[in-house]
Structure formats: structure tokens, C-alpha cells
Amino acid sequence: MPLDAPAGARADLPAGVNPILVEVTRGPIIESRHRGSAAIVDIAGKVVRSWGDHATAVFPRSAIKPLQAISLVESGAAERFGLGDAEIALACASHGGEKRHTETVTAWLAKAGLAGDDLKCGTHWPMHDETMRAMAAAGQAPCPIHNNCSGKHCGFLATAVHMGEPTKGYIRFEHPVQQRILGVLEAMCGIGLGKAPRGIDGCSIPTIAIPLENMAYGMARFGAPDDLPEARAAACRRISQAVAAEPFMVAGSGRYCSAVMAVTGRSVLLKTGAEGVFCASLPEYGLGVALKCDDGATRASEIMMSAVLRHIGVLTEEMEAKLARRIVTPLENRNGIHVGDVRPTAAFSE
Amino acid sequence: MPLDAPAGARADLPAGVNPILVEVTRGPIIESRHRGSAAIVDIAGKVVRSWGDHATAVFPRSAIKPLQAISLVESGAAERFGLGDAEIALACASHGGEKRHTETVTAWLAKAGLAGDDLKCGTHWPMHDETMRAMAAAGQAPCPIHNNCSGKHCGFLATAVHMGEPTKGYIRFEHPVQQRILGVLEAMCGIGLGKAPRGIDGCSIPTIAIPLENMAYGMARFGAPDDLPEARAAACRRISQAVAAEPFMVAGSGRYCSAVMAVTGRSVLLKTGAEGVFCASLPEYGLGVALKCDDGATRASEIMMSAVLRHIGVLTEEMEAKLARRIVTPLENRNGIHVGDVRPTAAFSE
């Protein structure tokens, strides 16, 4: 995999200082600044454009869920349990815990002979505020099904059941489910990960550090998988198709990933992750994108992703008009007054 | 006001790049980084220690609420309406909308012959999650009394009523209430603000840009006001005493400002603001502190403030033991597993 030397480095910044990619205005001044790095990589592994340091390994967190879902389909588990677009999209999701998300998870668990307490992702209130308050109003408490990662965990469990592996311990690094995914990540991203730094994710599975340039390479190949082995290529295509058909399932009402993919259709597959990581695949261009906001802010990683998509030229004028608030986010205060904006810096115009 | 040249600037950082003051670890790596600037200033206006750029004007947001409360006391309005420690602390608050906060606001409005719809701060659900869900469970909807700034707005309204000014338009820059506060800020912070950059805050009042070094100077004099005119000095002392007596009213359950002041007592007055601003006064040392996280993250500004307090030496060993999670915040995932930390960098040890 040929990976070029960093492009887009700025002479006025010392090594290790990433450029300011997003700024937050209020009235006449810039109130806050977000630094970050990003890489656009093609299916040959060439870094075609980059901002900041994209060679240091970072935890991909939830931004590589589409890659983590590959073995669910490739293993035959998805076919075995009759999973449709909704379930496969949910396997790639950080969902808001809205009714359709949780009902689909519940039905999927039943198809695989499992129940909510088989999920070891932990519990939190739905990220979707209205759903959370409706639950509170109904006297309900959250369970692991409401966890934003419950669809991904269903994918892990379904794969284990299909492969005849114990479901117990499926979140552990040593479990065959996680080892299989490690192998998929190594192959897709073109990097050995056996000794890569390892952390524990919010939902308790391992998260393995990967350089942004390798994540982007993996996403490029995921979107344009013709050179991959047939079973893997078919799995990548099936997942891309499912996400494009069910963008709501990947995030939810009002959320960036769902809103943007609802507009872009099959031309972009997007997935956000905690701590400001974001990945995308652009099948028509044979490109993958990976980026991280230094400070972990999602408000900034989203604007960075929009700026990168615009830089590539994937957004038509009509799409840009529909996604105006995702390109520059107006900040409105408690009285609905427009007080500032979250906007990309000139770094993306250079 | 003598303000020294920036101290603590690092030779390896170009102008305009603030140092990394807080880092977020996960497993063996640093996952996210927060840059920022801070100034410790004495009552003579001398910058005794600083990190990064503290000369550029930034919006103080809610971090100067104690200074904005001065005219409520100085004007005689607090005495006129028989306000106690709870109300005066609430005038300095970004509260969680917990029951005691909102009951106190409601009673205060009645004392001044006002009602909830006189508050023009806008509406949001209580920041305190349990209170918000309890309201949802009871079928209640939020009103301006639940706004975290409602106590500050009660202070504005009470001052207007006491002074015989119209309450209408009290949030506007031109209104006597806001003009009076502008004058207090100029005098306390030692800087002309007539032409300072002006934005609109979350609660719709003006926010006026002030350099961190001037904010810190204002906070130093607020805590050790002997050199101020008698009525102002008395107002500063009254507010400090009220906040020390009622730290819960300034923020709420589980919140940094309340938790730290409950432990430090009268030795520190703290106030956080949106977009990573934080102010403190240390009366016994005759020092004021102002800091801002570049990217606006509260998780980082809190750790920065703890590090500055430790640097000054205001925290005893016993206080540090009680505040361990406020000095280095352990990150626990959805299963309660310790996965990383939010911690100060070595910049504070230099």
C-alpha cells in the first residue's frame, strides 16, 4: 500500500500541531477553534489530499462500524437469520434509541434466539431526547437495547451463533468474533494490528488504534470493492446498499449521518465516531475519507466531513442547498436568535 | 493597571498556538487534546503566571456572573427585596433547574412583583438530567424559570424595578441595567469596553469581549475589594459570602462549581461559562484567575481550573483527596469500566 508523505502541511505550524479546520463564531469574533486532521485516500492506497497529521494511529471508535459489520454478512449469518436492510444498517449504527431502532433490535434478537440481556454493551438513556422523555413519561427505564451500539452488538452475537461460537465473552479481544473483525480490519486497512495500541470502547468492545490514512484506505476499498475476494466484495456491497436504503437506522432523527445520507443517496456512506472521528466511503470516486478533530468535538468533526465532501466535489448544488445547515451550522440561542456559526476554515479552500 | 508581557509562552509554539493543557487518555494512548490559555493576576493588575495567549479579548459568557451581580447588591435592590444568600448566589448561577433552584426563583419573582413571563432568557429543559426526566414523567414542560440563567435575570429585573427603570427590554445592550453592568465591568477589569466586540449570549443578553488578563484582574479585585469604593467593596463581600454559604445554588448536584466550592469554602469563588471559559477569585491570595479552552470544551476547562488552583497552592491535601475526580476525571464506559482519564498536562508543572 503506497501511502504518500503528508500533503497539506503548513509551513507556519510546527510538527504535531494540526491546522484549525473549524471555527465557531459569535457576533464579530471567533469564539472557539477546532484543530484536526483528515485524509482522502484512493483504492490504490494513495493519499490524494490531507490536512494535518494522518499517520499517527488513533482509535476509530464507532466510525468504522461498517467495516466491523463485514463478517456478519461475509460469514453468512445475515442470510441465515434473514436480515434485511434495516438490520444490516443497524449493525453499522450509533442509533438514537428511537422506537424503530429498538423494535428492530428486539425482533432481530428473537430471530437469533437471543434476548436483551445477551447484549453486553451496557445501558444508557436513548440519545434521542424526545424518545428519552417519552420513556420517562411512560415510567420506563432504559436497557441495553437502547444503547446506541445495540445493533452492532446484535451483529456480533448473530455471527457467533451462526459460527457455533459461544456468545459468552463476545466483547473480549480474545473472542473469535473480535479476532475475526481484527483480521478484516487488517486486510481492509492494509496494516498489521496485532501489536497496535488497544483501548476499551464505550460499549466495552476493544478499539484498536489505526492511522487515519489506513482507515481512509479501508473505507475506499469498502465502497469500491472490486479488487477484494468475491465473498468480501459481496459483503461490502450488501452493507453499502443496506445503509443507503435505511439511512435512518444508522443514526436517527435530526442526526448528521442520517440527514446527509438521506440526501446523497448511494454516493456517500458516512459513519461518525466518538471523540471527533469520522469516516466516509465514496464508491463513485473510489475514495475513502477518515478524519479526527483533535479535541474530540462532534460539532466540529461533522463540519469537517461536510467540508471534505465539498472539496471532493461529491455534493451537487441541490444537495448543498438541502444540507446548508450541515455545511455551516447556525448557532441559535434559547430565544431562537442567530448568534453565530460553526463553519469550516479557509484550510479547506487551499 | 500594569499587565506584564505574557509569561509561560513556549518557544516551540508559534504565536497564536496555545499549549495543550488537558489531554484525554484511552488505554495506552492520548485520544484527544485540549489547548487553552490562562492567567493568574493579582489585585495590582500584575500577571503573576500565565499559559498561552491571555491578551486577546474573548467572550466571558457566564464566567463573570459574580461581577454582573454587583449592581443588584450595590444598588440596594437586594436589601429592598430582602434577598438572602440563596437568591444572591442564584444571581451568580448557571443552575441545573433543580427543585430548590426553581422554587427560589419563583419566590424571588413574587417578592419583586414579577412573574415567570417577565424573564426573557428563553426556555430549555433543566440541565440536571434527573430533574428533567422527573418533569417529563409528571407531564410538565419547561418554562424560562428552568433556564440556567433565570437567577441572573431575576437580578437584572429586581435591579430595574428598584431603580424605577422599565423592566421591558432589560436584556438589550442599551437598557440601563446592561449599561450599568458595562460600567461595573469596565471599572472592575480596568478596561474600556465601549467599543469592545459584542455578541449575544445564550440567554439573549449582550456578552462583551474582555481579555483573560482583565477578567482575572476583575476577579482578583472582586475577592479582595479593600481598595474599591465602599459600596462596591461591600457588594463584592456580600456576594462572595452568599456564594460560599450556598454553593449548590451556583450550579447544582454533581456539578463542578458547586462540588469544588463545597470543599474549598471561602478560599475560592468559582464560576464556569459556556465555550470553555472559567473564572475564579482567591481572596486570601489576592488573586484572580481567568482561562479559556480553545475549543470550548467544559470537560477541559474544569480540569484546567483544578490545575491552576493546585498551581497556586490553594488546595490542601485533604481538599485534593476529596476533589480527586475534579483534578483527574476518570472516564467510565457504559459498563462502568475505567477506560481512560481527562487529565492536566505537564504544562502546569513547569
Side-chain angles (χ1 to χ4, degrees):
Chain A
M1 173 196 180
L3 283 170
D4 281 12
R10 287 174 52 187
D12 58 331
L13 290 176
V17 178
N18 287 324
I20 298 170
L21 297 179
V22 170
E23 56 198 16
V24 182
T25 68
R26 181 171 297 264
I29 72 174
I30 296 168
E31 185 167 28
S32 295
R33 292 164 177 84
H34 297 278
R35 294 177 182 275
S37 46
I40 306 171
V41 176
D42 68 17
I43 52 169
K46 180 178 165 61
V47 178
V48 297
R49 183 69 163 92
S50 69
W51 294 263
D53 168 25
H54 47 84
T56 301
V58 300
F59 289 133
R61 309 295 302 273
S62 291
I64 53 157
K65 278 178 174 166
L67 303 180
Q68 291 173 311
I70 288 174
S71 51
L72 169 68
V73 178
E74 191 179 54
S75 69
E79 195 179 356
R80 152 96 168 268
F81 296 113
L83 305 184
D85 292 341
E87 290 94 342
I88 293 173
L90 211 46
C92 306
S94 299
H95 65 74
E98 295 179 70
K99 198 176 174 198
R100 196 165 161 244
H101 298 131
T102 51
E103 285 181 350
T104 307
V105 167
T106 303
W108 180 355
L109 287 169
K111 283 184 197 177
L114 299 161
D117 59 5
D118 287 305
L119 294 170
K120 301 303 176 194
C121 44
T123 296
H124 63 79
W125 284 90
M127 288 159 55
H128 184 248
D129 284 345
E130 286 72 18
T131 300
M132 181 258 288
R133 282 193 283 268
M135 282 180 63
Q140 295 166 349
C143 73
I145 291 172
H146 300 95
N147 186 304
N148 74 89
C149 298
S150 64
K152 178 182 69 177
H153 283 246
C154 282
F156 296 156
L157 284 165
T159 307
V161 170
H162 175 65
M163 299 297 289
E165 294 155 2
T167 55
K168 189 165 188 291
Y170 75 91
I171 59 175
R172 298 190 61 224
F173 179 71
E174 297 77 13
H175 191 280
V177 161
Q178 301 302 336
Q179 286 295 309
R180 191 178 296 114
I181 287 170
L182 187 71
V184 170
L185 292 177
E186 288 182 322
M188 293 297 289
C189 300
I191 186 172
L193 296 171
K195 294 182 178 173
R198 195 195 327 160
I200 301 171
D201 215 323
C203 65
S204 294
I205 69 159
T207 183
I208 314 292
I210 305 176
L212 288 178
E213 59 194 25
N214 293 85
M215 272 187 241
Y217 177 52
M219 293 302 291
R221 299 170 83 204
F222 174 85
D226 289 354
D227 296 340
L228 301 181
E230 186 43 39
R232 176 148 307 169
C236 293
R237 286 189 202 101
R238 177 76 188 93
I239 296 167
S240 290
Q241 180 263 319
V243 167
E246 290 281 8
F248 171 82
M249 297 308 266
V250 176
S253 302
R255 296 267 302 283
Y256 180 97
C257 288
S258 297
V260 175
M261 290 194 289
V263 169
T264 57
R266 296 206 59 158
S267 58
V268 184
L269 178 143
L270 287 169
K271 186 63 194 74
T272 191
E275 293 296 333
V277 183
F278 222 128
C279 282
S281 80
L282 294 87
E284 294 155 13
Y285 293 76
L287 295 176
V289 176
L291 62 84
K292 179 171 178 358
C293 173
D294 285 9
D295 58 74
T298 297
R299 71 175 179 184
S301 65
E302 291 176 349
I303 298 299
M304 291 177 195
M305 181 54 81
S306 292
V308 170
L309 295 179
R310 290 184 81 200
H311 181 87
I312 294 170
V314 67
L315 302 181
T316 64
E317 269 186 40
E318 194 188 337
M319 290 177 186
E320 291 204 0
K322 286 181 181 168
L323 296 172
R325 294 175 70 95
R326 308 295 182 173
I327 294 168
V328 174
T329 305
L331 294 174
E332 285 164 7
N333 79 356
R334 304 303 188 177
N335 282 316
I337 300 167
H338 179 213
V339 294
D341 293 295
V342 188
R343 69 187 187 193
T345 65
F348 290 106
S349 319
E350 286 162 8
Chain B
M1 174 198 183
L3 284 170
D4 282 10
R10 287 173 54 187
D12 59 331
L13 291 177
V17 178
N18 288 323
I20 297 170
L21 297 179
V22 170
E23 56 197 15
V24 182
T25 68
R26 181 171 298 262
I29 73 174
I30 296 168
E31 187 168 27
S32 295
R33 293 164 176 83
H34 297 278
R35 295 176 182 275
S37 46
I40 305 172
V41 176
D42 68 17
I43 53 169
K46 181 180 164 61
V47 178
V48 298
R49 182 70 162 93
S50 69
W51 293 263
D53 167 26
H54 48 83
T56 300
V58 299
F59 289 133
R61 309 295 301 274
S62 291
I64 54 157
K65 277 177 176 168
L67 303 180
Q68 291 173 310
I70 288 174
S71 51
L72 169 68
V73 178
E74 191 179 53
S75 68
E79 194 178 356
R80 152 96 168 269
F81 296 113
L83 305 185
D85 292 340
E87 289 94 342
I88 293 173
L90 210 46
C92 306
S94 300
H95 66 74
E98 296 179 69
K99 198 175 173 196
R100 197 164 161 244
H101 299 130
T102 53
E103 285 181 351
T104 306
V105 167
T106 303
W108 179 358
L109 287 169
K111 282 184 197 177
L114 299 161
D117 59 4
D118 288 306
L119 295 170
K120 301 302 177 195
C121 44
T123 295
H124 62 81
W125 284 91
M127 289 160 55
H128 184 248
D129 283 343
E130 286 73 17
T131 300
M132 181 260 286
R133 282 193 284 267
M135 283 180 64
Q140 296 166 350
C143 73
I145 291 172
H146 300 95
N147 186 306
N148 74 90
C149 298
S150 65
K152 178 183 70 178
H153 282 247
C154 281
F156 295 156
L157 285 165
T159 306
V161 170
H162 175 65
M163 299 298 287
E165 294 155 3
T167 55
K168 189 165 187 289
Y170 75 92
I171 58 175
R172 298 190 61 223
F173 179 72
E174 298 77 12
H175 191 280
V177 162
Q178 301 302 336
Q179 286 294 309
R180 192 178 295 114
I181 288 169
L182 188 70
V184 171
L185 293 178
E186 287 182 321
M188 293 296 290
C189 299
I191 185 171
L193 296 172
K195 294 181 179 173
R198 196 195 326 160
I200 302 171
D201 215 323
C203 65
S204 295
I205 69 160
T207 183
I208 314 292
I210 305 175
L212 288 178
E213 59 194 26
N214 293 84
M215 272 187 240
Y217 177 53
M219 292 303 291
R221 300 170 82 204
F222 175 85
D226 290 354
D227 297 339
L228 302 180
E230 186 44 39
R232 176 147 307 170
C236 293
R237 286 189 202 101
R238 177 76 189 92
I239 296 167
S240 290
Q241 179 264 319
V243 168
E246 291 280 9
F248 171 82
M249 297 308 265
V250 176
S253 302
R255 296 267 303 281
Y256 181 97
C257 288
S258 297
V260 175
M261 289 195 289
V263 168
T264 57
R266 296 205 58 157
S267 58
V268 184
L269 178 142
L270 287 170
K271 187 63 194 73
T272 191
E275 293 296 332
V277 183
F278 222 127
C279 282
S281 80
L282 294 87
E284 295 155 13
Y285 292 76
L287 295 176
V289 176
L291 62 83
K292 179 171 180 351
C293 173
D294 285 8
D295 59 72
T298 298
R299 71 175 179 183
S301 65
E302 292 177 349
I303 298 298
M304 290 177 195
M305 181 53 82
S306 293
V308 170
L309 295 178
R310 291 183 81 199
H311 181 86
I312 294 171
V314 68
L315 302 181
T316 64
E317 269 186 40
E318 194 187 338
M319 290 177 187
E320 291 205 0
K322 286 181 181 168
L323 297 171
R325 295 175 69 94
R326 307 295 181 173
I327 295 168
V328 173
T329 304
L331 294 175
E332 285 163 8
N333 78 356
R334 303 302 188 178
N335 282 316
I337 300 168
H338 178 212
V339 294
D341 293 294
V342 188
R343 69 188 187 193
T345 65
F348 290 107
S349 320
E350 285 162 12

